[in-house]
Amino acid sequence: EIVLTQSPATLSLSPGERATLSCRASQSVSSYLAWYQQKPGQAPRLLIYDASNRATGIPARFSGSGSGTDFTLTISSLEPEDFAVYYCQQRSNFGQGTRLEIK
Amino acid sequence: EVQLVESGGGLVQPGGSLRLSCSASGFTFSSYAMHWVRQAPGKGLEYVSAISSNGGSTYYADSVKGRFTISRDNSKNTLYLQMSSLRAEDTAVYYCVKDRGYCSSTSCYMDVWGKGTTVTVSS
């Protein structure tokens, strides 16, 4: 089974700053990785699939990169609505999440 | 509008059973694999089960294998999750999720999520 490890567990930043979230797989997953955003009380939302493709309607400030075992979700300039929990996913495996909080 | 609406959650005693339903609309239900994902209170996401578009192939997480059964009725645009031998650790919000398409052994992505239904297993 593939284990996805996200870091950091919590990231404290201010609006306008750049956010970099990491997801590491225990073995190569090629580019088969997705990122989801979840706000309190809401269902998750697909942001990125195939490591770097933005889902429909996702703003350009969200970008994904990586392949093999190391992946990154970057938010270029944080908006107030971006503070949430982010999960990476590969097939039936989710990372434990990174909480992005306002500093 | 693509929509998924779960129902059937509630309070059940340990060892009991429950059937969740998910009514789909706004897309060709029979063309997409479907998933169930759960989230225990204050915890992260846990993948539960999946079913292919025609129902011929299913997948279960080890934590629910042998206790949960996923099924679908494409004539009714409805997904089901039959849960039995429920345990306290099954307490969670259960999300019905549409596959983005092209689900395979290497990649499945979930692009539409329902609001979830809450299952509480407690005596």
Side-chain angles (χ1 to χ4, degrees), chain A:
Chain A
E1 179 184 328
I2 294 172
V3 177
L4 301 177
T5 302
Q6 294 186 239
S7 62
T10 303
L11 185 58
S12 300
L13 294 170
S14 301
E17 290 192 293
R18 181 184 186 90
T20 302
L21 288 67
S22 175
C23 177
R24 176 164 290 178
S26 59
Q27 62 189 76
S28 178
V29 298
S30 186
S31 295
Y32 302 124
L33 189 103
W35 290 93
Y36 298 83
Q37 175 194 66
Q38 186 178 32
K39 298 179 182 179
Q42 296 185 17
R45 176 174 69 148
L46 177 65
L47 298 176
I48 301 286
Y49 65 93
D50 284 344
S52 61
N53 294 313
R54 274 190 301 277
T56 303
I58 301 304
R61 65 181 181 274
F62 291 91
S63 64
S65 63
S67 66
T69 60
D70 290 308
F71 300 86
T72 300
L73 174 69
T74 301
I75 310 172
S76 59
S77 179
L78 285 166
E79 298 288 341
E81 63 267 27
D82 297 336
F83 293 92
V85 179
Y86 292 83
Y87 295 94
C88 57
Q89 174 249 340
Q90 194 280 331
R91 198 58 170 85
S92 60
N93 307 293
F94 285 97
Q96 81 278 19
T98 289
R99 180 178 304 278
L100 178 56
E101 63 176 27
I102 298 177
K103 187 173 182 179

Side-chain angles (χ1 to χ4, degrees), chain B residues 41-63:
Chain B
K43 302 298 185 182
L45 302 172
E46 180 186 12
Y47 194 86
V48 174
S49 185
I51 188 167
S52 60
S53 59
N54 65 4
S57 179
T58 57
Y59 169 89
Y60 299 96
D62 287 343
S63 58

Side-chain angles (χ1 to χ4, degrees), chain A residues 38 41-44, chain B residues 1-7 22-23 36-37 39 93-97 112-118:
Chain A
Q38 186 178 32
Q42 296 185 17
Chain B
E1 179 193 5
V2 177
Q3 196 170 13
L4 299 170
V5 180
E6 303 94 337
S7 60
C22 170
S23 178
W36 288 99
V37 175
Q39 187 169 36
V93 174
Y94 284 73
Y95 293 104
C96 167
V97 195
V112 180
W113 296 62
K115 295 186 184 304
T117 187
T118 300

